[in-house]
Structure formats: C-alpha cells, structure tokens
Amino acid sequence: MHLYGSIRVYTCKEFSTRRALGASKTDIFMQFSAESIILSLLGAFMWLIFSYFLLDYMGKVINMKTSFSLLAVVLAFGMAIITGFIFSIYPALKAANMDPVEALKIE
C-alpha cells in the first residue's frame, strides 16, 4: 500500500487535471485500480518465468523430473489480480476523493 500511496502523490496533478476537466470519481478510481492490476500481472508474469527456469534448474540438481502445472499459472495470475485490486482500493479512493483545486496547488 505504501508504494501506491507514493504513486498517488506523484500523479496528483494528473488526477486533479482529469477531475477538473470532468472525469468522475469512478473514472479516477478505475484508472488507478487498472494500473495497479496491470503492474501486479506484470510482476506475476515475470515471477512465473523466473520460477519456471528455477524449477528446471532444481530438477536437474536433484535429478528429479519436475513439471509446471497450468493450475499453478492460473492461481498465480488470479492471486495477482486479487492482490493488485485489494491493495489499490485505499490509494484509489484517496486519489478519487481529492479536491482538484487543492491538489493542483501541491507541488
């Protein structure tokens, strides 16, 4: 949550400009949540690639046949989506509820 809270501070001007031009609170909330979920999915994808090669290497080290199940991939991406959304709720609400005039003054 701390990372997304920091991002909110840096994108404060962007969100307040969008609000001043007529974007609704829901639009801001959805944008922030979508960005969070995309970052979470990117992290899950990178971790799956890393774990695939690690699993292959460990299988060679211990002389065992290893496999990568489709269920593990589906669970990893599902958990990434859930985690990304849950930990973006608070910062997204804060970004959506900020006053555009006051936020544009912050620099």
Side-chain angles (χ1 to χ4, degrees):
M1 186 164 86
H2 180 66
L3 174 66
Y4 292 120
S6 300
I7 290 171
R8 184 185 64 83
V9 170
Y10 292 118
T11 59
C12 185
K13 195 169 189 174
E14 173 193 351
F15 291 134
S16 46
T17 303
R18 287 193 64 214
R19 283 296 310 267
L21 293 175
S24 67
K25 290 181 180 183
T26 305
D27 293 335
I28 302 296
F29 180 83
M30 293 304 290
Q31 177 188 350
F32 205 95
S33 297
E35 289 174 3
S36 172
I37 290 170
I38 289 170
L39 286 174
S40 297
L41 286 173
L42 180 64
F45 180 72
M46 290 170 39
W47 181 251
L48 282 172
I49 290 173
F50 173 74
S51 62
Y52 176 79
F53 289 113
L54 182 66
L55 185 67
D56 186 47
Y57 174 74
M58 291 305 292
K60 289 178 184 174
V61 167
I62 61 175
N63 290 327
M64 278 184 66
K65 184 177 184 211
T66 57
S67 64
F68 207 72
S69 74
L70 181 63
L71 178 63
V73 173
V74 170
L75 286 175
F77 280 108
M79 288 304 295
I81 291 171
I82 291 169
T83 304
F85 181 72
I86 287 174
F87 285 100
S88 73
I89 290 174
Y90 176 72
L93 286 174
K94 293 290 274 186
N97 290 324
M98 73 173 85
D99 182 30
V101 175
E102 292 298 321
L104 285 172
K105 290 179 183 178
I106 300 172
E107 269 304 307

